Amino acid sequence: IHHGTDHRIVIDSAHNADALEASLGELRSQTDGRILLVVASVGSADETRWEPLGEVADVMADVVVVTDESPYRGSADRIRAAIRRGCPRAVDLPDRRAAIAHVLAEARPGDIVMIAGRADEDFLVDDGGSVPFPTDAELIHEALFRSGRLDA
């Protein structure tokens, strides 16, 4: 995403440990700075995917924030807890908007911020069904605007 700050922001649909590892490995090769990661998983995914996401994040990212995605009929708290078992140092911010704002506020020149999971989805799904929700790009734009680092 081009946004006029002195760090890069990448949105990636990585939704399992292999995809996350590949994406983070590529990003690591592109910076001497830190990698700040927002990671989540959907509740409809195989539960055995959740902890390995955290394990990859723990090894490959410098700052990790675990947040909610679409829990479907699952427990968002349980999903985040499983990811945090793999990455005990991760910050737990269930509100995706807050999680994205947090990593953007922490980013320094030369860092790369990666938002993993939803990519361009404009909805969330919980046990009540599908509800409209801003895309990750829209959440990034909103956070940068609110922090005064982006003009309307």
Side-chain angles (χ1 to χ4, degrees):
I1 291 182
H2 300 283
H3 50 79
T5 64
D6 48 12
H7 56 273
R8 287 182 49 209
I9 302 172
V10 175
I11 297 173
D12 194 298
S13 62
H15 58 280
N16 62 46
D18 290 340
L20 187 63
E21 183 174 12
S23 294
L24 289 172
E26 179 60 29
L27 294 178
R28 178 60 64 204
S29 73
Q30 298 174 24
T31 186
D32 292 325
R34 300 175 306 158
I35 295 177
L36 295 83
L37 173 67
V38 173
V39 63
S41 186
V42 296
S44 64
D46 175 3
E47 291 183 25
T48 62
R49 290 171 143 190
W50 300 339
E51 192 169 334
L53 277 171
E55 292 168 352
V56 169
D58 197 43
V59 171
M60 300 189 75
D62 301 292
V63 175
V64 180
V65 177
V66 178
T67 193
D68 287 346
E69 196 169 328
S70 289
Y72 290 81
R73 297 193 185 285
S75 164
D77 292 337
R78 206 165 116 241
I79 296 165
R80 289 192 324 279
I83 294 171
R84 286 192 329 275
R85 276 194 302 278
C87 185
R89 66 185 172 87
V91 175
D92 183 32
L93 286 174
D95 181 315
R96 192 170 189 88
R97 181 175 271 114
I100 289 172
H102 177 81
V103 295
L104 291 172
E106 294 288 319
R108 301 188 297 237
D111 287 348
I112 296 177
V113 172
M114 179 175 161
I115 313 298
R118 289 183 61 236
D120 61 353
E121 291 178 1
D122 60 357
F123 60 91
L124 293 176
V125 181
D126 60 19
D127 59 1
S130 178
V131 295
F133 194 79
T135 65
D136 286 344
E138 290 168 333
L139 293 174
I140 290 164
H141 182 87
E142 176 185 300
L144 292 172
F145 179 73
R146 286 180 187 231
S147 69
R149 294 186 289 161
L150 184 69
D151 294 329

